[in-house]
Amino acid sequence: MLEVIDKGAASDAHPTPLLFIHGAWHGAWCWDEHFLDFFADRGYRAVALSLRGHGSTPDAKAVRFASINDYVDDVESIASGLPTRPVVIGHSMGGFIVQTYLESHDAPAGILVASMPPHGARRFIPRMFQRRAGRAVRALTTGKSLQYFDSLDTVRTFFFSPTTPEADVVRYASRLCEESARISVDSLGLNLPKPALIKASLLVVGAEYDGCFSTDEVHVTAAAYGTEAVMFPMGHDVMLEPGWRDVAEHIDGWLVGRGL
C-alpha cells in the first residue's frame, strides 16, 4: 500500500486531478507542506504519493533495488484509480519518473519541476564526488546514499538556497529517507527517458540556485520537449522554499491556460 495524501475535489473549473511525484530521498510530505492545500483551495483535486520505501510507504528494505520501472508502476497504480487521467507533476527524480511514465501512459499534461534531465544523473553524480568524495564513494558502494546527506551544509547546498531559513533546512533534513541504489544505474544510462515517444504537453520549471541540476540542464530538458524553461530564484526544493507560492501560481496559470 502506497502512502497517498489526497486533498480537495475536482471542480467545474478544474475537472482534471493533479498527481504529484516526489524526488529522491523525499516523500509525499514535501508536496503537503504548501502545494496540496494551495491547489485544493483553487478547486483542484491534488494527490501526492510516496513511492515504495519513501515517506510512510512500507518496503524500506527493498527500496535499494527499486528501478525506474518499479517507480512508474507505483505512479500508475495511483493514476489508474483516479476518475480521469491526471496531470503528472514530478520534482527532481520524480521528473525522471514522469518522463518515463509518459512514454507509455496517457496524461493530459506533465510538469517537470527542477527535474532530472533526459540525460539522467551523469552530471549530478560527479557533483556529489566533487563536494564530498569520501562520502560519495561510501554511499554508492554500500547502496546507502542517505549517509551522504549527514550534514546540514550538504543538505542546503543540494536542496536549498543560501537564504532558506536554517530552521526549515533542519526540519526538512530530518525527513529525508534512503533512496534506491538501482535508480542510480538507471539514471546513469541503463534506462533513460526517450523524449521522442512523449506526446503530452510539458511545462518545465527550474531553479537558479539548484545544487542538483544546473540551469543549462534545465534548458536542455526544455529543448528536448520543444518548450522553454521557466526559472525561479530559489533552490532545488522549490516547493519548500520561501518563494514556493510564485512557482505554484505559475503552474496554476499554465494549467488554466490549457483548460485543466
Side-chain angles (χ1 to χ4, degrees), residues 190-224:
L190 180 64
N191 196 349
L192 295 177
K194 304 172 184 64
L197 298 180
I198 297 175
K199 306 305 179 186
S201 296
L202 291 178
L203 170 64
V204 177
V205 172
E208 294 177 3
Y209 305 118
D210 193 332
C212 296
F213 305 113
S214 69
T215 298
D216 286 346
E217 287 179 289
V218 176
H219 289 302
V220 165
T221 300

Side-chain angles (χ1 to χ4, degrees), residues 173-206:
S174 71
R175 304 200 68 174
L176 299 179
C177 65
E178 195 56 78
E179 189 48 71
S180 166
R182 166 61 190 274
I183 203 71
S184 297
V185 178
D186 283 337
S187 64
L188 282 172
L190 180 64
N191 196 349
L192 295 177
K194 304 172 184 64
L197 298 180
I198 297 175
K199 306 305 179 186
S201 296
L202 291 178
L203 170 64
V204 177
V205 172

Side-chain angles (χ1 to χ4, degrees), residues 152-171:
L152 290 180
D153 182 57
T154 301
V155 172
R156 180 184 290 278
T157 296
F158 281 90
F159 299 135
F160 298 99
S161 68
T163 58
T164 304
E166 185 77 358
D168 288 348
V169 177
V170 170
R171 184 159 61 93

Side-chain angles (χ1 to χ4, degrees), residues 35-162:
F35 268 46
L36 296 188
D37 286 332
F38 173 91
F39 285 99
D41 290 344
R42 295 290 176 99
Y44 296 90
R45 181 177 180 185
V47 181
L49 78 152
S50 288
L51 301 164
R52 63 188 68 189
H54 296 74
S56 296
T57 297
D59 207 16
K61 290 184 179 180
V63 69
R64 66 182 299 181
F65 304 112
S67 69
I68 182 63
N69 291 326
D70 291 327
Y71 287 160
V72 166
D73 288 345
D74 288 346
V75 172
E76 176 58 12
S77 71
I78 304 304
S80 62
L82 296 172
T84 59
R85 302 302 296 183
V87 174
V88 283
I89 304 169
H91 173 251
S92 192
M93 181 188 74
F96 179 61
I97 296 168
V98 165
Q99 292 171 71
T100 306
Y101 176 86
L102 290 174
E103 292 175 12
S104 56
H105 297 84
D106 292 330
I111 300 175
L112 306 180
V113 181
S115 174
M116 184 183 294
H119 60 242
R122 70 186 187 198
R123 296 183 186 175
F124 171 70
I125 299 298
R127 287 186 188 104
M128 293 180 69
F129 276 89
Q130 184 178 21
R131 180 162 183 82
R132 303 183 77 192
R135 279 291 181 189
V137 169
R138 286 194 290 275
L140 294 175
T141 56
T142 64
K144 297 179 179 180
S145 58
L146 184 60
Q147 65 183 298
Y148 185 84
F149 298 101
D150 63 353
S151 78
L152 290 180
D153 182 57
T154 301
V155 172
R156 180 184 290 278
T157 296
F158 281 90
F159 299 135
F160 298 99
S161 68

